[in-house]
Amino acid sequence: MRKWTTADMPDLTGRVAVVTGANTGLGFETAMALAQRGAELVLACRDQGKAEAATERIRRRAPGAVIGTVELDLASLASVHRAATIIGACHDRIDLLINNAGVTGLSGTTEDGFEAQFGINHLGHFALTGLLWSRITAADSARVVTVSSIGHRFGRIDPEDPAAPIGNAYGKSKLANLLFTYELDRRLADTPAVAVAAHPGGASTDVFRYSPAAFRLPNLAIARLFGRTPAMGALPTLRAATDPTVVGGEYYGPSGLFGIAGYPDQARSSAHSRDPHRQRRLWEVSEQLTGVSYPAQGR
């Protein structure tokens, strides 16, 4: 099987790409590769100082790159609204929205009272995507790529009460990413845009920075064992975002054993993630919780 790498990415000159959490890890490597192919970037990050530092690092390896930054704290719906307003004012279309930012092991609640991981990993991105809907659907062939995890298989969502804090909070938030992607793709059916999901496998990133050592250290050991650098971990996202053969509703991840290592290819998500009832119910509850309503369209 042929190994897909950044060398297979097409020219992205003239394309506008928004990447959340782009100052470090998978997000940074994703943004770097997109810039090297000519995309105009918007780095949407919680820490503007780190976003500016990432901008300079990208420009050193992609001279002439056009890069803007916007402050985005996914734990605050007010921040999500401000960021979407700024992005919309600066760009009449968005060709790529990469919902990458995420946390694991973070306890407590968001500014709006949601369980932290569900609020940041899912609800924040749900709101951002909805607020940017008009810009996404204005592009000729936009893609919304949401980064999930193989950990979604350990997540459970009550189809009658999707926001209920049950089971593995991180797994639940990553399952929500997939349920959101599949329902979003259906709702984009009458537009030029599609929604796709990806997961990095066992990549060594700082997503585990809030996790207990008993969870963080084994994951980092697995990443080192399989040589899963952030650059390798970003490949499934980049393929989902740029490969011309990708179609809406697909899911990409490493092709090796258990989806931990290898080069990106289509992956299969859990049966729970493919349940249309759970997809619709999560969507309805997400609109209620965030106050962000999407246009009623699609299949």
Side-chain angles (χ1 to χ4, degrees), residues 257-268:
L257 184 65
F258 302 123
I260 293 174
Y263 288 83
D265 204 349
Q266 284 194 55
R268 184 169 177 80

Side-chain angles (χ1 to χ4, degrees), residues 145-153 174-175 177-178 181-182 195-201 236-237 239-240 246-254 259 264-270 273-274:
V145 180
T146 300
V147 179
S148 183
S149 164
I150 50 179
H152 84 273
R153 294 184 176 278
K174 296 286 101 179
L175 173 59
N177 289 155
L178 286 163
T181 295
Y182 298 147
V196 191
H199 78 86
T237 300
R239 183 167 188 181
V246 169
V247 300
E250 290 183 337
Y251 178 44
Y252 283 81
D265 204 349
Q266 284 194 55
R268 184 169 177 80
S269 61
S270 69
S273 73
R274 300 191 301 277

Side-chain angles (χ1 to χ4, degrees), residues 4-289:
W4 193 96
T5 71
T6 53
D8 296 296
M9 292 172 61
D11 178 35
L12 299 174
T13 302
R15 308 269 285 173
V16 176
V18 178
V19 184
T20 70
N23 60 283
T24 188
L26 301 176
F28 175 79
E29 295 296 340
T30 298
M32 173 69 76
L34 294 173
Q36 290 176 323
R37 286 293 182 274
E40 178 180 347
L41 293 180
V42 178
L43 309 186
C45 308
R46 184 169 58 88
D47 187 315
Q48 281 300 281
K50 292 180 179 179
E52 293 296 340
T55 296
E56 293 308 310
R57 289 171 61 199
I58 292 171
R59 284 182 175 148
R60 284 197 291 270
R61 289 169 54 185
V66 178
I67 308 173
T69 66
V70 64
E71 182 178 349
L72 171 67
D73 182 355
L74 290 163
S76 164
L77 289 176
S79 176
V80 173
H81 276 266
R82 285 193 297 270
T85 297
I86 293 169
I87 294 170
C90 296
H91 300 280
D92 58 5
R93 75 175 199 287
I94 296 169
D95 300 284
L96 296 173
L97 172 59
I98 312 294
N99 290 324
N100 161 82
V103 295
T104 183
L106 181 62
S107 60
T109 60
T110 68
E111 178 181 293
D112 304 285
F114 310 129
E115 187 279 315
Q117 293 172 88
F118 185 69
I120 293 169
N121 297 350
H122 168 60
L123 291 175
H125 282 127
F126 177 92
L128 179 67
T129 305
L131 293 168
L132 294 176
W133 179 275
S134 65
R135 297 300 187 260
I136 294 166
T137 55
D140 290 338
S141 57
R143 291 187 193 178
V144 178
V145 180
T146 300
V147 179
S148 183
S149 164
I150 50 179
H152 84 273
R153 294 184 176 278
F154 303 101
R156 292 294 180 267
I157 285 180
D158 182 342
E160 302 311 318
D161 186 7
I166 59 173
N168 180 312
Y170 177 70
K172 174 184 174 180
S173 72
K174 296 286 101 179
L175 173 59
N177 289 155
L178 286 163
L179 294 167
F180 165 62
T181 295
Y182 298 147
E183 181 65 17
L184 176 62
D185 190 61
R186 274 194 290 274
R187 290 170 181 255
L188 286 168
D190 297 329
T191 78
V194 298
V196 191
H199 78 86
S204 177
T205 75
D206 64 357
V207 71
F208 301 109
R209 62 191 179 278
Y210 300 112
S211 301
F215 179 78
R216 181 178 68 254
L217 297 179
N219 277 279
L220 294 177
I222 289 171
R224 294 191 188 100
L225 176 65
F226 288 99
R228 297 298 290 177
T229 63
M232 281 295 293
L235 286 180
T237 300
L238 290 165
R239 183 167 188 181
T242 68
D243 187 336
T245 68
V246 169
V247 300
E250 290 183 337
Y251 178 44
Y252 283 81
S255 57
L257 184 65
F258 302 123
I260 293 174
Y263 288 83
D265 204 349
Q266 284 194 55
R268 184 169 177 80
S269 61
S270 69
H272 278 274
S273 73
R274 300 191 301 277
D275 179 352
H277 177 61
R278 282 183 170 83
Q279 293 162 12
R280 289 191 296 270
R281 281 296 296 141
L282 177 65
W283 190 280
E284 292 166 359
V285 170
S286 298
E287 286 192 329
Q288 293 166 9
L289 293 175

